Amino acid sequence: MTNPLLAPWTAPFGLPPFAEIRDADFGPAFDAGLAEARAAIAGIAEQAEAPTYANTIAALELAEGILDRVSGVFYNLAGADSTEAREALMRELAPKMSAFASEITNNKRLFARIEALWAARDGLGLEAEQMRVLTLYRRMFVRSGAELEGEAAERLTAVKARLAVLGTQFGQNLLADEREWFMVLAEEDLEGLPGFVVDAARAAGRERGQNGPVVTLSRSLIVPFLQFSPRRELRRVAYEAWVARGANGGATDNRGVAAEILALREERAKLLGYGSFAAFKLEPEMAKTPDAVRDLLMRVWEPAKRKALADAGVLEGMLRADGIAGPLEPWDWRYYSEKRRMAEHDLDEAALKPYLGLEAMLGAMFGCASRLFGLEFREIAGPFYHPDVRGWEVTRGGKHVAVFLGDYFARSSKRSGAWCSAMRSQRKLGGEQRPIVVNVCNFAKGEPALLSWDDARTLFHEFGHALHQMLSDVTHGFISGTSVARDFVELPSQLYEHWLEVPAVLEEYARHWETGEPMPAEMRERLLAAGTYDQGFATVEFVASALVDLAFHEGAAPSDPMVMQAEVLERIGMPQAIRMRHATPHFAHVFSGDGYSSGYYSYMWSEVMDADAFAAFEEAGDPFDPATAALLEKHILSAGGSEEAEVLYTRFRGRMPGVEALLKGRGLLDAA
């Protein structure tokens, strides 16, 4: 039988043949892809012809055709719709793919060809994008150990292979903990919960094979439970389970995994000649150094902590007014904060959600992209990789731009959080290739699906990443879409969130799911006025996580990361009633791979820019100003990694911004 992953894909838009793919197809397809890639790379390295850009760099860009295609499908499915077979294959692939990557960067003949091109670069007549790609290829090889010899090279290969295994293990342990835990609710435990929370709990119970409602560790369910449940003991049980993910002992405990990862990262950096892993990791980013990261975080930390401590005093007063001696605990914060928001802003999330149906917010999301960039969205039929997934063809002026897939509902086979990925990235080299872009979220399923304000922001955030992929317009896949500095990649996503807050957008799209009536003007005004509400809490839980991440990587690796975590939190004066957004055993951003290691600060670094970038539209007097949107697309969304991030941003805005825009946007200027 023909393997559908290896046969020509004849579905519309070159989509994968999802209905035909079986888990057993992936292993042989990876083997075929690796064999093809190894043969192609050997041919490049061993050819007799003198190195040219075409026969070396461009050839490398096209050397992994099957592998790219199979990986694009498998790794999306492994995160969004896991099975035992897929998890087993991920564990098998982790060292295999790491070894393959090391084979390439350890290939001395291949690196010699790149070095020859680098030495002669000024006389090669390269276009700007080609020069950029050559620069990045050489940097990738050097940072991967291409200049190392003998035992050092062998040890680095072993370290990277082990890190790949551990990163996969960390993520799978976390998914197992999230999948296994749930708390059954009796009917009396539903007291005080709004209808949408009750509906979500009943749906989660059915999904878990229970006869009644349950609370799971899905953020879209546990957070509203913590906001609305008056039963303090149940809140405590649910909260402690949530923050204990990855730290429950046994086979899924991530504390030892994290310790080994940190030790190996330190060794990796020192093999490459760096004083610390943070110094190594931050070198190609906008921040450049650990000191620059710490400076930004501490400039935000102090005003945020002052605001959070003031808010904690108010919430503890409410707790005592309920006859509870205190102190205010982490499982109390969201409950009393929701009560306070209702009292001070007359903003009831249960009354708000009917105006934030998923269908309405998708309309807003697509509508803004249409007004800004002229994109049009036409829903297309599957089959896709799961019945929950929906698809759209994206066009502009009648021309195909991309396929966009949305996978929005929580399920036990999906890892937590929200993300954007590409099953196929944009490029022109070797023929025009348009992207297949996927947004994955974990919203509570309902009839209809109603979003919280935070959910709606997440929807817009991930679509900002999707626009970065869909509007990419470069020749080389190596620099397309979101292939940019880690502390620049969040700019398009965080910037797109601003359009959700445009009053005219809410007026047009925020309509009651039953009646079609628009959100009342006074409700909309209260919602927007409360935009900075509880930002002391949100900023403290984020910055604490970023500071712990930095501390883990800027010195000697801790033998016990939990001890170091506690030391950092004590040193910065972490408020007692707030915990880190991501404690070490479930800090997937940092430990499920290298992506955000030493880089969790990136969201805040990008926020400095997104506040300033949206100000460009405000200064133009129109949130949909065509000229500003065209500049945004030209210099950021379509440019990928074709220039250094500072260059791209400065071309768009004329300068780099300061931290004041961030503090203002979070309502922290008065506390600064």
Side-chain angles (χ1 to χ4, degrees):
M1 182 181 292
T2 302
N3 189 322
L5 288 162
L6 300 176
W9 292 359
T10 58
F13 316 113
L15 281 165
F18 293 112
E20 300 170 25
I21 298 170
R22 302 292 177 264
D23 284 349
D25 296 326
F26 282 111
F30 270 105
D31 289 342
L34 286 166
E36 178 200 57
R38 284 190 170 103
I41 290 163
I44 296 166
E46 296 166 12
Q47 63 185 305
E49 291 82 0
T52 65
Y53 187 89
N55 70 18
T56 303
I57 302 299
L60 281 172
E61 280 281 277
L62 301 175
E64 300 176 18
I66 292 176
L67 194 59
D68 286 343
R69 186 166 69 160
V70 175
S71 297
V73 178
F74 176 75
Y75 287 108
N76 274 277
L77 269 60
D81 193 27
S82 180
T83 64
E84 288 187 8
R86 291 169 191 173
E87 291 183 15
L89 183 56
M90 278 192 76
R91 293 190 294 272
E92 179 186 330
L93 284 172
K96 186 181 291 189
M97 297 299 285
S98 176
F100 170 67
S102 293
E103 280 178 35
I104 297 172
T105 52
N106 291 346
N107 188 317
K108 298 303 181 184
R109 296 185 67 175
L110 183 59
F111 183 55
R113 296 180 70 84
I114 294 172
E115 282 288 77
L117 292 172
W118 180 249
R121 63 191 180 279
D122 292 335
L124 297 177
L126 299 180
E127 298 174 357
E129 183 177 318
Q130 293 174 320
M131 184 66 81
R132 172 68 171 166
V133 171
L134 172 60
T135 301
L136 292 178
Y137 260 92
R138 181 181 183 274
R139 186 169 79 182
M140 177 184 72
F141 270 71
V142 171
R143 287 172 56 82
S144 297
E147 294 180 318
L148 296 182
E149 301 285 350
E151 290 184 8
E154 292 176 6
R155 179 56 188 161
L156 183 61
T157 295
V159 165
K160 289 191 290 186
R162 180 61 180 160
L163 282 169
V165 170
L166 291 169
T168 299
Q169 182 182 346
F170 189 99
Q172 292 190 353
N173 287 347
L174 180 55
L175 177 60
D177 276 8
E178 291 170 343
R179 187 168 49 214
E180 293 302 317
W181 189 92
F182 59 87
M183 180 173 68
V184 175
L185 299 177
E187 288 301 312
E188 57 268 25
D189 296 333
L190 303 178
E191 175 197 350
L193 298 179
F196 74 87
V197 182
V198 174
D199 291 344
R202 293 193 190 282
R206 289 191 295 272
E207 203 256 346
R208 298 300 177 99
Q210 300 298 305
N211 292 325
V214 304
V215 174
T216 70
L217 298 181
S218 170
R219 189 177 186 89
S220 62
L221 179 51
I222 198 167
V223 167
F225 181 80
L226 294 170
Q227 285 177 303
F228 292 106
S229 176
R231 296 180 177 260
R232 192 180 192 220
E233 181 58 23
L234 292 182
R235 294 200 312 266
R236 184 191 68 79
V237 172
Y239 182 86
E240 292 289 19
W242 194 32
V243 299
R245 290 169 293 158
N248 290 303
T252 63
D253 197 295
N254 272 332
R255 287 170 288 191
V257 178
E260 187 177 354
I261 287 173
L262 293 173
L264 290 171
R265 284 177 178 166
E266 181 190 7
E267 184 180 0
R268 176 184 178 185
K270 290 186 173 176
L271 284 167
L272 291 167
Y274 293 86
S276 70
F277 184 80
F280 162 72
K281 189 68 188 302
L282 294 172
E283 183 183 54
E285 311 297 342
M286 294 182 76
K288 304 300 182 192
T289 67
D291 286 344
V293 173
R294 185 181 298 98
D295 178 64
L296 169 70
L297 294 174
M298 293 309 298
R299 288 180 69 186
V300 178
W301 172 256
E302 290 302 333
K305 183 171 71 169
R306 282 192 287 274
K307 182 71 169 66
L309 289 171
D311 289 342
V314 175
L315 300 184
E316 186 158 310
M318 297 170 68
L319 177 82
R320 293 179 186 277
D322 277 352
I324 302 170
L328 183 75
E329 297 286 359
W331 50 86
D332 296 319
W333 190 292
R334 287 175 174 84
Y335 178 70
Y336 286 101
S337 180
E338 183 64 27
K339 279 191 165 186
R340 183 186 179 194
R341 184 171 75 151
M342 181 65 183
E344 294 185 2
H345 295 279
D346 191 20
L347 201 59
D348 179 358
E349 187 164 303
L352 181 66
K353 287 189 75 157
Y355 296 96
L356 301 177
L358 177 59
E359 293 306 310
M361 292 301 96
L362 287 172
M365 181 181 86
F366 291 147
C368 290
S370 181
R371 290 186 65 182
L372 286 163
F373 309 114
L375 299 176
E376 297 174 336
F377 300 85
R378 177 182 67 87
E379 190 154 9
I380 58 177
F384 304 116
Y385 62 84
H386 188 278
D388 285 347
V389 180
R390 297 167 65 181
W392 291 265
E393 183 193 10
V394 186
T395 58
R396 180 157 58 181
K399 183 179 179 182
H400 178 76
V401 172
V403 170
F404 173 69
L405 303 181
D407 183 357
Y408 292 118
F409 299 124
R411 55 179 174 266
S412 58
S413 64
K414 183 189 289 187
R415 65 179 170 89
S416 61
W419 63 92
C420 175
S421 58
M423 285 195 180
R424 183 175 68 216
S425 296
Q426 179 271 332
R427 72 164 190 242
K428 298 175 184 174
L429 192 69
E432 181 76 16
Q433 177 173 285
R434 299 309 307 170
I436 301 170
V437 186
V438 188
N439 273 180
V440 183
C441 299
N442 271 283
F443 304 144
K445 200 169 188 177
E447 296 295 339
L450 303 178
L451 306 186
S452 67
W453 185 241
D454 185 58
D455 288 338
R457 291 179 70 92
T458 297
L459 185 76
F460 269 64
H461 178 101
E462 298 306 333
F463 194 68
H465 283 308
L467 288 171
H468 204 178
Q469 295 274 18
M470 293 189 291
L471 292 174
S472 179
D473 187 26
V474 295
T475 298
H476 299 76
F478 195 67
I479 57 167
S480 74
T482 55
S483 300
V484 299
R486 180 63 61 177
D487 48 9
F488 191 61
V489 76
E490 297 298 335
L491 169 61
S493 54
Q494 293 177 185
L495 174 59
Y496 202 65
E497 293 178 34
H498 287 269
W499 276 276
L500 177 61
E501 300 176 351
V502 171
V505 172
L506 289 173
E507 185 176 0
E508 181 176 359
Y509 292 101
R511 294 179 174 269
H512 197 284
W513 72 272
E514 275 188 304
T515 67
E517 290 296 312
M519 181 185 290
E522 44 85 22
M523 178 185 284
R524 185 177 69 243
E525 289 163 8
R526 294 197 311 272
L527 173 64
L528 296 176
T532 60
Y533 178 70
D534 217 17
Q535 280 299 305
F537 168 86
T539 307
V540 160
E541 66 165 8
F542 172 84
V543 175
S545 295
L547 286 168
V548 168
D549 167 40
L550 184 65
F552 279 158
H553 295 102
E554 65 176 333
S559 58
D560 187 339
M562 301 307 292
V563 171
M564 176 173 275
Q565 173 184 298
E567 290 172 348
V568 172
L569 297 180
E570 182 178 5
R571 185 165 64 246
I572 63 178
M574 184 73 170
Q576 183 272 336
I578 306 177
R579 304 263 181 96
M580 293 168 59
R581 184 173 178 86
H582 302 289
T584 298
H586 57 86
F587 207 164
H589 280 78
V590 169
F591 292 107
S592 283
D594 266 0
Y596 284 88
S597 54
S598 296
Y600 192 61
Y601 76 92
S602 300
Y603 291 91
M604 190 147 284
W605 190 277
S606 292
E607 191 175 339
V608 171
M609 290 179 285
D610 81 63
D612 180 70
F614 191 71
F617 288 89
E618 294 174 325
E619 291 161 13
D622 178 2
F624 296 97
D625 178 62
T628 309
L631 287 174
L632 177 66
E633 179 177 352
K634 178 180 179 181
H635 295 303
I636 295 177
L637 295 177
S638 73
S642 58
E643 297 271 10
E644 291 291 335
E646 297 92 332
V647 173
L648 295 174
Y649 190 84
T650 301
R651 284 181 182 166
F652 166 61
R653 197 68 172 104
R655 51 162 176 72
M656 291 298 292
V659 74
E660 291 73 24
L662 180 151
L663 293 172
K664 179 181 177 183
R666 288 187 172 236
L668 300 174
L669 269 181
D670 292 343

